[in-house]
Amino acid sequence: MIPLNWLVALSAIVFTIGVVGVLVRRNALVIFMSVELMLNAANLAFVAFANHMKSLDGQIFVFFVMTVAAAEVAIGLAIIVHLFRLRETVFVDEIHLLKG
Amino acid sequence: MLPIPYLTVLVFFPLVAAVLVAVLPQRFERSARAWATLAAAIEFVASLPLWSRLTPSAPGFQFEENLAWIPSIGARYHLGVDGISALLALLTTLMTFIAVLSAWTSVERRSREFYAMLLALEAGMLGTFFCLDLLLFYVFWEAMLIPMYLLIGVWGGQRRIYAAVKFFLYTMAGSVLMLVAILSLFQMQRQFTGVPSFDLTSFYAMPIAPTLQLWYFLAFAFAFAIKVPMWPVHTWLPDAHVEAPTAGSVILAAVLLKMGSYGFVRFAMPMFPNALAVCTPTIAWISIIGIVYGAVVAMVQPDLKKLVAYSSVSHMGFCMLGLMAMNAQGFAGSMMTMLSHGVSTGALFLLVGVIYERRHTRAIADFGGLWKVMPVFSAIFLVVTLSSIGLPGTNGFVGEFLVLLGAFMTKFSWAAVAATGVILSACYMLWMFQRVVFGPIVHEENRGLGDLTLRERLVFAPLLLLIFWMGFMPQPFLDRMQPALDRTLELTHQRAERSAALVERAPGIRLVSAPSGDGGSRP
Amino acid sequence: MNASLLAWIPGLPLAAVLVNLLLGDRLGKKGTAWLACGAVVAAFALALRAVLQLAALPEHERHLSEVAWTWMRVGTFSVDVAFLLDPLSAVMVLVVTGVGSLIHIYATGYMSHDPSFRRFFLYLNLFMFAMLTLVLADNYLLLFVGWEGVGLCSYLLIGFWYERPSAAEAGKKAFIVNRIGDFGFMLGAFMLVTATGSLQFDRVFSAAPHVFTAAGVTLATLLMFLGATGKSAQIPLFTWLPDAMEGPTPVSALIHAATMVTAGVYMLARSHVLFELAPATMQVVAVIGAATALMAATIGLAQNDIKRVLAYSTVSQLGYMFMACGVGAFGAGIFHVMTHAFFKALLFLGAGSVIHAMSDEQYMRRMGGLSSRLPFTHGTMAVATLAIAGVPFLAGFFSKDEILHAAWASGHKGIWLAGIVGACLTAFYMTRLYVLTFRGPSRLSHEAEHHLHESPPSMIVPLVVLAVLSVVGGYVGMPFQQGGNAFETWLHPVLSAGGHAAHHEVSRGVEWLLILLSVGVALLGIVLSLRSYLWNPATATALQTRFAGLHRLLVNKYWVDEVYDAVLVRPFVGISEWMWRFWDAKVVDGLVNGVGTTLEGGSAILKLFQNGYVGTYALFITLGVIALFLHFLR
Amino acid sequence: MTIALFVGFAALLVVTSLMVILHRNPVTSALFLVLAFCSLAGIYLLLHAEFLGMVQIVVYAGAIMVLFLFVIMYLNLQHDVESGVQIALRRGIGWLAGAGLLLAGATLLGRGLALGPAAEVSPDQASGNVAAIGKALYSRYLFPFELTSVLLLVAMVGVIVIARGRARSPREDA
């Protein structure tokens, strides 16, 4: 049996990599991928605890997370496409009109 | 008593009239002023029973109406009137009627809304004077601000937005503190009697620990001090007056300033007597500074309205000093000053309005030698100036004399310093009067000015009558106000003992560690 | 004949004012004149009748009082509008209405061609109402109403020709200086109320001896004396009277010679019980009176405007009256008030008639040799000049001598000396005025010479009547009468009420010596003045050059006005300017606006965080998460 | 044996994730992400979550990554150029924040939170994971399930509206 600590550690590591990806990269798509990574890290933790607690709720929750992720990716990519059409760029730091 | 709910009719009739005037169709724009004057006249006549039917000696409040308003928190729609509020209400209805009558020519655009605002303002003021339920009082207290804000903001002079916003925020800042105090009192009241209620009489009955009282008193005092206005928090008044239209500044000076001192007499002083005892010297000295400071600064004002505004600061300083004297003469003097200041300063603003309408300038330097061109105007201006500086035989003197007498009986130094205000008021008023009315005609524009029209003379007739009536025979006024004032004074002393006896087991929530003994120096 | 007519004495002029106001121009000049004079003469008649009725009463209950209505009743303190006629107020009411009606008649002639004729008589009647209220008041508050009422009327009448800025300025100055005096009077009244609980004369005087501490009564009387100095133009607050000459001459005669300025003396005499309780104040009153008398007399020497000279002479004579009150001889003071009212009113009216004749020329250096051209004016003025100088068997001599006698008898030797020197100076400058105006070479300008004319009868008749009074008026108070001085006995019931009146008897011999001395001094003054101005005018100019410095000092009136202006008025206006510009605008308003600007500044800073970069927002989120972790770690 | 498998998958997951964020070319990042999802699916299988493993492969690796690649190709993205001090500063802070986060996580784990008791084997566990999930999904979680269908519908409508853009594509009016 895989010890729970490792699983949670792994999930933390992947989550952190996702966060770094979001902070560091300029390309909207890569940021998007990093967000997916963070989501999956969370899913991993869910499954780990579901397995540890021997209850299915965790897994069902992951299932829901996935559907939401799917919807989110669809909308996100649509926005990026539309953004590209308007601004000819995908780099996040060039789009900063909406400010105080 | 009267069959109909008299006070409710008095309060809400102007509101209904305001709405009707506002929704008049466009083609009635010209006749809106006639309708508004009619409404104000009816309101004034309707308020006369307050004078005739009021039995001053009867204890408690008269014409009472008490209905459940928000049962869950025990807030009741409780109206009532006694000697103090009846006289102030009469002052309100009279001055509103005169303000509406005087504004016929001064307002051109959007006159329907203008008159609607005036009538709504009257409703707010009457409500504030009549209500005996703290929450209802707060509602009317805030409701009153809106029409005044609009009056200054829409029909004002150049810097009207600044003045209107300053006026609104200033008063709001004060009254929000008061709201906090009311709510925490409500909380204490509920714990003390178990029955939730905002009723004034129940607050009168509830003893509060002296140290706690201080914080409540400061909250209430600050809210009312802004309204009075007392010395450090007065700077909104000159701006509001300079920018307000004539009718607006007449009501602002005549009635709105009395809200502050009325609040002190009705709420702050009887409810927190021990804290009052601690703060009395401080507030007295602040009002004396107000008297001298107002007069000194009024001396050098180039603008007529600002001069009269600062003179109001000085006169209201007398009012507060009278209250702080804590004796029958001081209270009666303060009340008389409120009434006479309302009449004479209202008249002063009307006079300034008259020449502003003709010359569209308020600078004293632009006038000179008006006596030759406008003799009737100058004669009325002379009488009103004399009443403002408190010449014996006019209404100003009775109030000032009683206040100084009351202050003198409490503390010699108070009256001595405050009495210099008598000299200063003579200086700046007469100097202003001389530069405006006497002397040769320097500016050519003044030569062609027309004297007062019949309508304008009609506006001043009641005021002059009042000036001399209150000056020579003030006794009818004094008889009406004295029993109520004595009851307030006696209630204050009574509550002081009861609360003092309650030193340790103070009911109600322990606020942040109660302050050490001495009173707060803030106004 | 009940006493209810007392209220009508002040009531009549008030009624005339109201009628004048309402009917306005429809009355025309004739109508206004008759209305105004008629009211005052009727008041005089009423007063006379009331005084006769009073005289009929036995000596010790000689007072008629009448309550009109309750003015103020607050708690224990109550005051009514009530009138009181007793010997003291009888004298005053007769003088006020008598001299007043004469001056009203005179004024109809003097002001006949003035455009605002109606307004003048409106104010004059209003003044009579206020003065009569003051004199007949039964309590200090009603007296205060009259007190400020006469102040108001003097303000209106001085500034009557309002188109002249100097007149308006003088009016305002008079009112404010009076107001400073009233400030003192009001505080004194408060002390009375707190101590004795009422302002009614009899109640205050009966309670005063037991209720007051020595310091209390001294302070109260000093404050009331401050009020008196304001109203009667004594040392600290006298600067307004000379400027009050801006008003028409009948005004100067009525208000600034006969009636208003004597209100202070009347108030002192009325409250003699209080003053006798405070010897220190009496001392102060005497000293100030003497100082004012001397100072004003010296200034009078060097003035060239005929009305200014008379103004300073009034200040000086008032100094005498206060000196009399100061030494305890209130009766002598009131007696001098009466006689002074006669001859000073005559002098002013005479001067008015001269000015009227010379078409508004007031500068004595351009007069001279008018005796032949203005016979009546010259005759009456001569009588008045002799009277004021203190020539025997005329009114001035008796009253002034009475004061000097009292000063000597009560041991105030220094005060007496000042009085004697003052008497000499008075004789000197009055003769100087008479000589420069009527005698000597005619220095008239050509066109003044051209339409020089004697005044119409309506002006001459009052002059003559006053001249007669100035002569006869003195005998009432003649010394060495059988039952003592008639005037004193008349006032006795009022003035001895307090029981502290100082009675000093001096042997008859010393009294004669004093009389001879004062007569000698008066004649010396007259002769000196005649010598230096009539017989050989060179000596006058010689005197001026030799004492050039002193002369300049006197011409500039000791620079008192300038000092007051520099020390009080200008710094005060400066302070108020500073208070407004700096304190109100910058500090208090600054604080209020400051709250607004600081909020604005704060939000400007916070705005920077919203810089539009998605990256920064993500960073903040991460930092937030880290902070949460740290929180849980603790 | 499973431990070895898990370690392998875990290592693979970490490496590929790192490569996703480090690699300049978005296409290679996308492909590494696919690899990461597969390794994750493997781990799910080890944890007896077979259904999820399959769904992971089908939904994530299959659908979502395809979408990603499609968009990358569509937008014809070139190599990411990362230059300029302002960007370097931001990257530095990014890494720092990541390190901070990791540190905090590590200390938290270091504390060794009290883990709940390991529940005993539940009865329906034996009858296979997919059936159990199906039964639970359509009994207790019926309402959320229906809700997700609505969510997906909304997403689809949104995508169409956004992606359609204006009638003229920007290229004509450039």
Side-chain angles (χ1 to χ4, degrees), chain B residues 41-55:
Chain B
I42 294 170
E43 175 67 17
F44 174 60
V45 169
S47 69
L48 289 183
L50 282 180
W51 174 269
S52 50
R53 301 281 289 266
L54 182 86
T55 47

PDB file of all heavy atoms in Angstrom, chain B residues 41-55:
ATOM      1  N   ALA B  41     -48.911  78.347   3.737  1.00  0.00           N
ATOM      2  CA  ALA B  41     -49.811  79.174   4.562  1.00  0.00           C
ATOM      3  C   ALA B  41     -50.743  78.267   5.358  1.00  0.00           C
ATOM      4  O   ALA B  41     -50.909  78.436   6.574  1.00  0.00           O
ATOM      5  CB  ALA B  41     -50.615  80.109   3.644  1.00  0.00           C
ATOM      6  N   ILE B  42     -51.292  77.289   4.668  1.00  0.00           N
ATOM      7  CA  ILE B  42     -52.218  76.366   5.371  1.00  0.00           C
ATOM      8  C   ILE B  42     -51.467  75.700   6.522  1.00  0.00           C
ATOM      9  O   ILE B  42     -51.946  75.621   7.665  1.00  0.00           O
ATOM     10  CB  ILE B  42     -52.758  75.308   4.373  1.00  0.00           C
ATOM     11  CG1 ILE B  42     -53.636  75.970   3.315  1.00  0.00           C
ATOM     12  CG2 ILE B  42     -53.523  74.220   5.115  1.00  0.00           C
ATOM     13  CD1 ILE B  42     -54.018  75.041   2.164  1.00  0.00           C
ATOM     14  N   GLU B  43     -50.254  75.262   6.225  1.00  0.00           N
ATOM     15  CA  GLU B  43     -49.456  74.584   7.258  1.00  0.00           C
ATOM     16  C   GLU B  43     -49.265  75.506   8.465  1.00  0.00           C
ATOM     17  O   GLU B  43     -49.436  75.108   9.620  1.00  0.00           O
ATOM     18  CB  GLU B  43     -48.091  74.194   6.678  1.00  0.00           C
ATOM     19  CG  GLU B  43     -47.123  73.579   7.689  1.00  0.00           C
ATOM     20  CD  GLU B  43     -47.581  72.200   8.206  1.00  0.00           C
ATOM     21  OE1 GLU B  43     -48.453  71.599   7.542  1.00  0.00           O
ATOM     22  OE2 GLU B  43     -47.093  71.779   9.262  1.00  0.00           O
ATOM     23  N   PHE B  44     -48.974  76.785   8.182  1.00  0.00           N
ATOM     24  CA  PHE B  44     -48.731  77.718   9.298  1.00  0.00           C
ATOM     25  C   PHE B  44     -49.993  77.893  10.122  1.00  0.00           C
ATOM     26  O   PHE B  44     -49.976  77.773  11.364  1.00  0.00           O
ATOM     27  CB  PHE B  44     -48.244  79.066   8.746  1.00  0.00           C
ATOM     28  CG  PHE B  44     -48.100  80.119   9.805  1.00  0.00           C
ATOM     29  CD1 PHE B  44     -47.223  79.916  10.875  1.00  0.00           C
ATOM     30  CD2 PHE B  44     -48.866  81.281   9.761  1.00  0.00           C
ATOM     31  CE1 PHE B  44     -47.101  80.877  11.877  1.00  0.00           C
ATOM     32  CE2 PHE B  44     -48.738  82.242  10.767  1.00  0.00           C
ATOM     33  CZ  PHE B  44     -47.864  82.032  11.816  1.00  0.00           C
ATOM     34  N   VAL B  45     -51.098  78.097   9.400  1.00  0.00           N
ATOM     35  CA  VAL B  45     -52.363  78.297  10.129  1.00  0.00           C
ATOM     36  C   VAL B  45     -52.691  77.041  10.933  1.00  0.00           C
ATOM     37  O   VAL B  45     -53.090  77.092  12.103  1.00  0.00           O
ATOM     38  CB  VAL B  45     -53.490  78.640   9.110  1.00  0.00           C
ATOM     39  CG1 VAL B  45     -54.843  78.576   9.796  1.00  0.00           C
ATOM     40  CG2 VAL B  45     -53.225  80.009   8.503  1.00  0.00           C
ATOM     41  N   ALA B  46     -52.436  75.898  10.305  1.00  0.00           N
ATOM     42  CA  ALA B  46     -52.759  74.642  10.995  1.00  0.00           C
ATOM     43  C   ALA B  46     -51.895  74.498  12.253  1.00  0.00           C
ATOM     44  O   ALA B  46     -52.287  73.839  13.215  1.00  0.00           O
ATOM     45  CB  ALA B  46     -52.484  73.457  10.065  1.00  0.00           C
ATOM     46  N   SER B  47     -50.729  75.109  12.260  1.00  0.00           N
ATOM     47  CA  SER B  47     -49.839  74.903  13.422  1.00  0.00           C
ATOM     48  C   SER B  47     -50.186  75.872  14.558  1.00  0.00           C
ATOM     49  O   SER B  47     -49.608  75.769  15.643  1.00  0.00           O
ATOM     50  CB  SER B  47     -48.382  75.111  13.006  1.00  0.00           C
ATOM     51  OG  SER B  47     -48.201  76.480  12.716  1.00  0.00           O
ATOM     52  N   LEU B  48     -51.095  76.825  14.308  1.00  0.00           N
ATOM     53  CA  LEU B  48     -51.387  77.806  15.367  1.00  0.00           C
ATOM     54  C   LEU B  48     -51.961  77.159  16.628  1.00  0.00           C
ATOM     55  O   LEU B  48     -51.626  77.598  17.742  1.00  0.00           O
ATOM     56  CB  LEU B  48     -52.326  78.886  14.818  1.00  0.00           C
ATOM     57  CG  LEU B  48     -51.632  79.828  13.817  1.00  0.00           C
ATOM     58  CD1 LEU B  48     -52.568  80.918  13.349  1.00  0.00           C
ATOM     59  CD2 LEU B  48     -50.361  80.417  14.441  1.00  0.00           C
ATOM     60  N   PRO B  49     -52.799  76.115  16.518  1.00  0.00           N
ATOM     61  CA  PRO B  49     -53.270  75.509  17.785  1.00  0.00           C
ATOM     62  C   PRO B  49     -52.117  75.123  18.707  1.00  0.00           C
ATOM     63  O   PRO B  49     -52.281  75.071  19.926  1.00  0.00           O
ATOM     64  CB  PRO B  49     -54.048  74.281  17.331  1.00  0.00           C
ATOM     65  CG  PRO B  49     -54.511  74.609  15.957  1.00  0.00           C
ATOM     66  CD  PRO B  49     -53.473  75.513  15.365  1.00  0.00           C
ATOM     67  N   LEU B  50     -50.928  74.859  18.117  1.00  0.00           N
ATOM     68  CA  LEU B  50     -49.795  74.561  19.014  1.00  0.00           C
ATOM     69  C   LEU B  50     -49.610  75.712  20.005  1.00  0.00           C
ATOM     70  O   LEU B  50     -49.187  75.526  21.142  1.00  0.00           O
ATOM     71  CB  LEU B  50     -48.510  74.398  18.185  1.00  0.00           C
ATOM     72  CG  LEU B  50     -48.332  73.065  17.443  1.00  0.00           C
ATOM     73  CD1 LEU B  50     -47.020  73.074  16.676  1.00  0.00           C
ATOM     74  CD2 LEU B  50     -48.367  71.911  18.419  1.00  0.00           C
ATOM     75  N   TRP B  51     -49.948  76.925  19.556  1.00  0.00           N
ATOM     76  CA  TRP B  51     -49.755  78.086  20.440  1.00  0.00           C
ATOM     77  C   TRP B  51     -50.950  78.192  21.396  1.00  0.00           C
ATOM     78  O   TRP B  51     -50.790  78.297  22.607  1.00  0.00           O
ATOM     79  CB  TRP B  51     -49.621  79.362  19.601  1.00  0.00           C
ATOM     80  CG  TRP B  51     -49.560  80.614  20.413  1.00  0.00           C
ATOM     81  CD1 TRP B  51     -50.613  81.401  20.804  1.00  0.00           C
ATOM     82  CD2 TRP B  51     -48.382  81.238  20.953  1.00  0.00           C
ATOM     83  NE1 TRP B  51     -50.158  82.461  21.533  1.00  0.00           N
ATOM     84  CE2 TRP B  51     -48.809  82.392  21.634  1.00  0.00           C
ATOM     85  CE3 TRP B  51     -47.012  80.931  20.905  1.00  0.00           C
ATOM     86  CZ2 TRP B  51     -47.899  83.239  22.284  1.00  0.00           C
ATOM     87  CZ3 TRP B  51     -46.143  81.784  21.550  1.00  0.00           C
ATOM     88  CH2 TRP B  51     -46.584  82.930  22.229  1.00  0.00           C
ATOM     89  N   SER B  52     -52.150  78.067  20.807  1.00  0.00           N
ATOM     90  CA  SER B  52     -53.332  78.366  21.643  1.00  0.00           C
ATOM     91  C   SER B  52     -53.717  77.158  22.487  1.00  0.00           C
ATOM     92  O   SER B  52     -53.996  77.287  23.675  1.00  0.00           O
ATOM     93  CB  SER B  52     -54.494  78.753  20.730  1.00  0.00           C
ATOM     94  OG  SER B  52     -54.601  77.741  19.722  1.00  0.00           O
ATOM     95  N   ARG B  53     -53.672  75.965  21.936  1.00  0.00           N
ATOM     96  CA  ARG B  53     -54.254  74.825  22.662  1.00  0.00           C
ATOM     97  C   ARG B  53     -53.228  74.177  23.584  1.00  0.00           C
ATOM     98  O   ARG B  53     -53.508  73.181  24.221  1.00  0.00           O
ATOM     99  CB  ARG B  53     -54.767  73.771  21.669  1.00  0.00           C
ATOM    100  CG  ARG B  53     -55.817  74.297  20.710  1.00  0.00           C
ATOM    101  CD  ARG B  53     -57.174  74.376  21.341  1.00  0.00           C
ATOM    102  NE  ARG B  53     -57.764  73.047  21.578  1.00  0.00           N
ATOM    103  CZ  ARG B  53     -58.604  72.456  20.701  1.00  0.00           C
ATOM    104  NH1 ARG B  53     -58.886  73.041  19.556  1.00  0.00           N
ATOM    105  NH2 ARG B  53     -59.150  71.301  20.974  1.00  0.00           N
ATOM    106  N   LEU B  54     -52.021  74.662  23.636  1.00  0.00           N
ATOM    107  CA  LEU B  54     -50.987  73.997  24.453  1.00  0.00           C
ATOM    108  C   LEU B  54     -51.162  74.426  25.905  1.00  0.00           C
ATOM    109  O   LEU B  54     -51.203  75.631  26.192  1.00  0.00           O
ATOM    110  CB  LEU B  54     -49.593  74.440  23.970  1.00  0.00           C
ATOM    111  CG  LEU B  54     -48.414  73.784  24.698  1.00  0.00           C
ATOM    112  CD1 LEU B  54     -48.087  72.466  24.033  1.00  0.00           C
ATOM    113  CD2 LEU B  54     -47.186  74.697  24.656  1.00  0.00           C
ATOM    114  N   THR B  55     -51.324  73.469  26.820  1.00  0.00           N
ATOM    115  CA  THR B  55     -51.394  73.868  28.256  1.00  0.00           C
ATOM    116  C   THR B  55     -49.983  73.673  28.819  1.00  0.00           C
ATOM    117  O   THR B  55     -49.576  72.546  29.104  1.00  0.00           O
ATOM    118  CB  THR B  55     -52.368  72.941  28.997  1.00  0.00           C
ATOM    119  OG1 THR B  55     -52.019  71.589  28.601  1.00  0.00           O
ATOM    120  CG2 THR B  55     -53.807  73.199  28.588  1.00  0.00           C
TER     121      THR B  55
END
